[in-house]
Amino acid sequence: MKMQEFDDTLIITDELGNELEAVIIMTFDSEEFGKSYLVYQLKDDETGEYFAASFNPEDGEEGNLVPIETDEEWDFVEEVLESFLEEEEEKLEENE
């Protein structure tokens, strides 16, 4: 998959050459795995499904997303995402 970043969105080109617009939810690094990760959702997708991949931040806007292959990495990404979403929910509740 290819990645192009535009502010808080990116264009993903899938295996079939289709360009899909996605919203960046968060990026973070892992010292344990020595990788940078990106969590995103497809724009206009009503399922609310989150997607994640690793990437090389030095590639810039034209980088490649690399699929996450191990259960350990998935567990780590899910844990970070859950913590992030909980913090965001708490911030929203405080501002109400």
Side-chain angles (χ1 to χ4, degrees):
M1 266 187 205
K2 290 286 265 178
M3 174 181 76
Q4 251 183 313
E5 192 171 328
F6 299 102
D7 298 320
D8 62 346
T9 63
L10 66 148
I11 304 297
I12 298 171
T13 305
D14 68 12
E15 303 84 28
L16 303 174
N18 301 315
E19 289 190 349
L20 307 169
E21 191 171 359
V23 177
I24 299 170
I25 304 301
M26 65 183 303
T27 60
F28 57 95
D29 300 319
S30 167
E31 289 183 21
E32 179 182 350
F33 296 105
K35 295 181 181 179
S36 295
Y37 294 94
L38 169 75
V39 177
Y40 61 95
Q41 289 181 306
L42 296 178
K43 200 167 189 176
D44 302 324
D45 179 22
E46 297 176 9
T47 65
E49 187 175 356
Y50 291 96
F51 299 90
S54 65
F55 71 100
N56 183 348
E58 294 176 10
D59 287 346
E61 292 184 0
E62 294 289 330
N64 288 312
L65 296 178
V66 180
I68 298 170
E69 297 177 349
T70 67
D71 289 341
E72 292 82 9
E73 277 184 279
W74 272 117
D75 290 344
F76 169 73
V77 169
E78 288 173 354
E79 187 176 306
V80 171
L81 177 60
E82 286 175 17
S83 294
F84 173 79
L85 293 174
E86 285 174 12
E87 287 176 20
E88 290 299 303
E89 189 174 310
E90 287 174 12
K91 286 179 190 176
L92 286 173
E93 289 173 1
E94 288 174 5
N95 291 330
E96 288 181 358

